[in-house]
Amino acid sequence: MTDRPIKNKYIMISEKLSEAAKSVIPIVAVVLVLSLTIAPIPTDLMLSFLLGTLFLVLGMGLFFSRCRNVYDAHRQ
């Protein structure tokens, strides 16, 4: 048994995670800038927001990597 497909899966998941992060980072940056300048928010709320952002990126990355696997399986 070769581990080539496993490496390809890890590469695909890491690509999808980076795509998800790239799509979420601008929104996070705007919220951070606004919270530090115009509308300060409590620390616990900011930590909840950042934790939610992390889970959002992980969820989007895993979801879209799985969608790609299903799409490729149906094409064959």
Side-chain angles (χ1 to χ4, degrees):
M1 183 171 131
T2 63
D3 60 339
R4 229 181 213 327
I6 293 173
K7 286 184 181 178
N8 289 338
K9 286 181 184 180
Y10 286 133
I11 291 170
M12 184 172 38
I13 290 172
S14 66
E15 288 173 356
K16 295 300 177 181
L17 285 173
S18 68
E19 289 175 11
K22 287 177 187 175
S23 67
V24 172
I25 285 176
I27 298 167
V28 173
V30 168
V31 170
L32 286 175
V33 167
L34 289 175
S35 71
L36 293 174
T37 58
I38 296 174
I41 60 173
T43 306
D44 58 341
L45 188 59
M46 179 56 72
L47 289 175
S48 296
F49 172 73
L50 293 175
L51 184 64
T53 301
L54 176 68
F55 285 136
L56 177 68
V57 169
L58 288 173
M60 285 175 57
L62 293 174
F63 176 76
F64 287 122
S65 67
R66 181 63 184 152
C67 286
R68 185 66 188 179
N69 287 345
V70 170
Y71 175 75
D72 288 342
H74 284 295
R75 283 189 67 192
Q76 293 178 356

